[in-house]
């Protein structure tokens, strides 16, 4: 009970109660997402929120990957959007998967390269679900860029087609260089 926890420091009751409500909203949002995941081409807006040290608000589903789901949130103290990656609830109880997820956050957090998304923080929800916070990157995926190129390449004059293909190849080289950098750092 929050009142019991704050018996000796009553000034902490209100902030603690707010934090508990935020965590409950976050868990409802994640539970709703787990119960009805969005279609792959449709982003679900749960209008939920998450606070990490009372900073992150407006949690919205963004995408999913092999180890977790990524949500977009807004850091109201620094006035920027961030990405929050949660370990899939289905595997959150698997100690090996938890270690892989934590290792992913730690390794990525140590890398300093323009091609690597910086990790700002990590933590665990009150339901023991690991997460980490990183820069939110706007834009298309490389896969989307390739599909776009193939869809419209027949409409481009030869010179523009070459420029578009060179741009794609340049991006691929950049990805390869980033992976090479990451491998040199273990």
């Amino acid at each position: 009970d929050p009142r019991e926890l704050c018996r000796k420091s009553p000034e902490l009751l209100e902030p603690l109660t707010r934090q508990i409500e935020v965590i409950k909203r976050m868990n409802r949002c994640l539970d709703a997402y787990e119960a009805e995941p969005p279609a792959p081409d449709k982003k679900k807006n749960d209008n939920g929120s998450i606070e990490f040290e009372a900073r992150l608000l407006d949690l919205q589903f963004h995408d999913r990957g092999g180890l977790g789901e990524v949500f977009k949130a807004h850091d109201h103290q620094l006035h920027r959007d961030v990405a929050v990656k949660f370990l899939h609830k289905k595997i959150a109880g698997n100690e090996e998967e938890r270690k892989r997820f934590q290792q992913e956050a730690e390794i990525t957090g140590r890398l300093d390269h323009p091609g690597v998304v910086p990790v700002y923080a990590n933590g665990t929800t009150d339901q023991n679900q690991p997460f980490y916070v990183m820069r939110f990157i706007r834009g298309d995926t490389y896969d989307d860029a390739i599909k776009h190129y193939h869809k419209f390449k027949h409409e481009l004059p030869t010179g523009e087609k070459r420029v578009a293909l060179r741009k794609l190849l340049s991006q691929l080289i950049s990805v390869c260089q980033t992976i090479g950098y990451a491998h040199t750092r273990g």
Side-chain angles (χ1 to χ4, degrees), residues 31-177:
D31 288 343
Y33 168 75
E34 288 286 325
E36 185 183 329
D41 62 340
K42 182 180 176 190
K43 304 297 184 216
K44 183 176 180 182
N45 180 346
D46 291 312
N47 289 328
S49 65
I50 176 176
E51 286 190 19
F52 178 76
E53 297 178 4
R55 290 176 53 172
L56 305 182
L57 303 170
D58 302 324
L59 186 72
Q60 300 172 3
F61 175 77
H62 179 69
D63 209 346
R64 80 176 74 217
L67 279 178
E69 290 102 12
V70 178
F71 290 77
K72 178 181 168 189
H74 185 73
D75 181 333
H76 71 88
Q77 288 181 349
L78 296 176
H79 306 289
R80 65 182 177 186
D81 289 333
V82 295
V84 184
K85 184 172 184 179
F86 293 90
L87 181 63
H88 285 297
K89 280 189 172 183
K90 293 174 252 181
I91 60 174
N94 181 318
E95 195 56 39
E96 189 170 315
E97 296 296 341
R98 291 177 72 85
K99 285 179 184 176
R100 281 184 55 211
F101 187 81
Q102 180 65 30
Q103 185 179 30
E104 177 182 291
E106 290 175 8
I107 290 171
T108 306
R110 286 193 303 263
L111 298 176
D112 185 20
H113 188 277
V116 177
V117 179
V119 173
Y120 299 141
N122 66 343
T124 306
T125 68
D126 66 332
Q127 293 181 336
N128 205 27
Q129 184 180 14
F131 68 91
Y132 60 91
V133 181
M134 60 195 137
R135 177 184 292 158
F136 182 78
I137 306 294
R138 296 181 200 296
D140 295 328
T141 66
Y142 190 61
D143 187 48
D144 290 339
I146 292 170
K147 288 176 184 173
H148 181 80
Y149 170 78
H150 284 291
K151 183 176 180 179
F152 295 105
K153 73 179 178 182
H154 302 293
E155 300 172 15
L156 296 173
T158 303
E160 288 181 37
K161 195 182 308 184
R162 286 184 180 151
V163 169
L165 180 59
R166 285 177 191 244
K167 181 179 177 185
L168 282 175
L169 292 174
S170 175
Q171 291 170 334
L172 177 62
I173 290 168
S174 178
V175 168
C176 292
Q177 290 171 335

